[in-house]
Amino acid sequence: MNVTVLLFAQARDRAGRGRLDLDLEPGSRVSDALREIARAHPGLEPLWPHLAVAVNGELSAPDMPLAEGAELALLPPVSGG
Amino acid sequence: MNVTVLLFAQARDRAGRGRLDLDLEPGSRVSDALREIARAHPGLEPLWPHLAVAVNGELSAPDMPLAEGAELALLPPVSGG
Amino acid sequence: MAELVHVPIDSGQLARAAARPDCGAIAQFLGTTRDHHAGRRVASLTYEAYEPMALAALASIEAEAVTRFGVASCNIVHRLGEVPLAESSVAVTVASAHRVAAFDACRWAMDELKRSVPIWKRERFEDGDSEWVEGSKLGAGPDRP
Amino acid sequence: MAELVHVPIDSGQLARAAARPDCGAIAQFLGTTRDHHAGRRVASLTYEAYEPMALAALASIEAEAVTRFGVASCNIVHRLGEVPLAESSVAVTVASAHRVAAFDACRWAMDELKRSVPIWKRERFEDGDSEWVEGSKLGAGPDRP
């Protein structure tokens, strides 16, 4: 199951890239995707407690199931304005 | 003693003019000027309780003495903005 | 510096003039002319002022806004003469390091303006009638002569 | 309608677009970029957004401002990319029949924007360093994976 991950601001800086493509087991949830990302990008470690996660543009809980082609976004604390 | 009187908004409408020139006794006060104006312009009658009076651009009390050349202004309730 | 103008107010220019690199916030209020009042259709509005006294009163509001709210600047421009519907009759522009003070100062300045500046608004109604808008009595008035 | 733009914000144009003959008040807030933060000199600022989600969040603030405060309209424009010092990074424009609601809605919309819209600000300091500005965590975050 293919899932796109977008990383913004500090998350992008720490991962060294703004986009990842994950290939997950069917039936995977948000938390499974995050575990994959954390394994591949240990530089994100200090940021995890501060991140929000969106799936297809909506804030999502870790147990949310993912569908093929989902867009997951790692959102550091926001500072617009 | 010459005193100029400026009338604004409803005061001008009721008096039919925006400027009066008064010739007052030396030593006259604001209240003397107002009495003159009221006599010459009875149409102002209903407005008096609502008017503020300025002398040379400052709000003034009725017992304020007037000097030669003073500019007295009759100021209806304000509605700027 | 406070201004009375007889031409349209350019609010964007006022905001650009207020912008400062040490400030993060500009609050601006525009009073715009309305097509109705007390249930009647308004066709146009005209403003007049006792100009020297109005300018002094506006300048004093600007200065007090700065000291009372600690903002960087407060500027007030009021238009006089006929103001077509939906155009600005007044602009209050406040620049400040932070937004709460900018909002508070802008709102206070507008309240003060309505209370203490010798400016008068006349509405001309669609039925041809026209009337001075009921306002606020300035300071303490004279006794009945 | 909410917008994300990569060019200077024309606040005067936004105010003109908001003006309506049935409204007497426009409150506008401009967030402008500042040359200092936490004691350091800032040389420039850059904003980025998760654009589709940010647009939806801004549109939702606009709609809630209208229903919550009973104003006629609320429009939010946020600039992205590099914003030179003292230029506007954001404009919130509210039109209303009366001024109290306009001020309240404008202020509320700005507070919401800072809290709930996926936009990030990076400051580049005069010493060459740059840093993402510390912000507010969106909604409830994920557990540590």
Side-chain angles (χ1 to χ4, degrees):
Chain A
M1 184 173 73
N2 296 299
V3 169
T4 301
V5 182
L6 302 179
L7 301 92
F8 292 92
Q10 301 95 313
R12 187 186 57 242
D13 288 355
R14 290 185 169 274
R17 51 200 294 191
R19 182 191 163 117
L20 310 171
D21 292 297
L22 300 182
D23 187 1
L24 301 172
E25 295 295 313
S28 290
R29 295 170 184 271
V30 167
S31 53
D32 300 313
L34 299 182
R35 207 172 302 111
E36 275 303 300
I37 300 166
R39 182 149 48 215
H41 296 280
L44 289 171
E45 171 69 16
L47 208 53
W48 285 111
H50 308 289
L51 292 179
V53 175
V55 175
N56 298 330
E58 303 275 352
L59 290 182
S60 297
D63 61 351
M64 190 190 184
L66 291 167
E68 167 68 27
E71 179 176 281
L72 193 149
L74 299 190
L75 308 173
V78 300
S79 52
Chain B
M1 185 174 71
N2 296 297
V3 169
T4 300
V5 181
L6 302 179
L7 301 91
F8 292 93
Q10 301 94 312
R12 188 187 54 244
D13 288 355
R14 290 186 168 274
R17 51 201 292 192
R19 182 192 164 117
L20 310 172
D21 293 297
L22 300 183
D23 186 2
L24 301 172
E25 296 295 313
S28 291
R29 295 170 184 269
V30 167
S31 53
D32 300 313
L34 300 182
R35 206 170 303 112
E36 274 303 300
I37 300 165
R39 180 149 47 215
H41 296 280
L44 288 171
E45 172 69 16
L47 208 55
W48 285 111
H50 308 289
L51 292 178
V53 176
V55 174
N56 297 328
E58 303 276 354
L59 290 182
S60 296
D63 60 350
M64 191 189 181
L66 291 167
E68 167 67 29
E71 180 176 280
L72 194 147
L74 300 191
L75 309 171
V78 301
S79 52
Chain C
M1 210 173 63
E3 276 187 283
L4 298 170
V5 300
H6 290 262
V7 294
I9 293 175
D10 182 345
S11 73
Q13 177 49 36
L14 295 170
R16 279 189 296 281
R20 294 166 40 145
D22 59 342
C23 283
I26 294 174
Q28 192 170 57
F29 178 82
L30 305 173
T32 56
T33 46
R34 276 201 293 170
D35 63 5
H36 62 284
H37 185 221
R40 295 174 81 180
R41 303 288 302 174
V42 175
S44 76
L45 292 100
T46 307
Y47 289 85
E48 73 171 60
Y50 180 19
E51 298 201 20
M53 189 177 171
L55 274 173
L58 293 175
S60 141
I61 293 171
E62 290 177 347
E64 190 172 346
V66 167
T67 55
R68 182 186 277 241
F69 298 94
V71 297
S73 68
C74 174
N75 170 263
I76 310 177
V77 178
H78 204 296
R79 186 170 170 184
L80 301 177
E82 184 172 339
V83 180
L85 292 181
E87 293 196 13
S88 298
S89 51
V90 61
V92 178
T93 309
V94 174
S96 173
H98 300 288
R99 73 184 181 286
V100 172
F103 277 118
D104 287 345
C106 190
R107 188 175 197 147
W108 175 86
M110 211 33 227
D111 291 345
E112 282 296 296
L113 185 155
K114 290 193 164 268
R115 204 183 58 74
S116 71
V117 181
I119 297 179
W120 299 272
K121 169 161 59 179
R122 186 186 188 90
E123 293 174 331
R124 191 167 54 74
F125 298 101
E126 285 191 346
D127 59 19
D129 238 22
S130 75
E131 260 177 34
W132 293 100
V133 173
E134 239 183 283
S136 311
K137 185 169 176 178
L138 278 179
D143 293 329
R144 206 174 179 93
Chain D
M1 210 174 63
E3 276 188 285
L4 298 169
V5 300
H6 290 262
V7 294
I9 293 175
D10 182 345
S11 73
Q13 177 50 36
L14 295 170
R16 278 189 297 279
R20 295 164 39 143
D22 60 340
C23 284
I26 294 174
Q28 191 169 58
F29 178 82
L30 304 173
T32 57
T33 47
R34 275 202 293 169
D35 64 4
H36 63 282
H37 185 220
R40 295 173 80 182
R41 302 288 300 176
V42 174
S44 76
L45 293 102
T46 308
Y47 289 84
E48 73 171 59
Y50 180 18
E51 298 200 20
M53 188 176 170
L55 274 174
L58 293 175
S60 139
I61 293 171
E62 291 178 346
E64 189 173 346
V66 167
T67 55
R68 182 185 278 242
F69 298 94
V71 297
S73 68
C74 174
N75 169 264
I76 310 178
V77 178
H78 204 297
R79 186 170 171 184
L80 301 177
E82 184 171 339
V83 180
L85 292 181
E87 293 194 13
S88 298
S89 51
V90 63
V92 178
T93 309
V94 174
S96 174
H98 299 288
R99 72 184 182 286
V100 171
F103 276 119
D104 287 345
C106 189
R107 190 175 196 146
W108 175 87
M110 211 33 229
D111 291 345
E112 281 297 296
L113 185 155
K114 293 195 162 262
R115 205 182 59 73
S116 71
V117 181
I119 297 179
W120 299 272
K121 168 160 60 178
R122 187 185 188 90
E123 293 175 330
R124 191 167 54 74
F125 298 101
E126 284 191 345
D127 59 19
D129 239 22
S130 74
E131 260 177 34
W132 293 100
V133 173
E134 240 183 282
S136 311
K137 186 170 176 177
L138 278 179
D143 293 328
R144 208 176 180 91

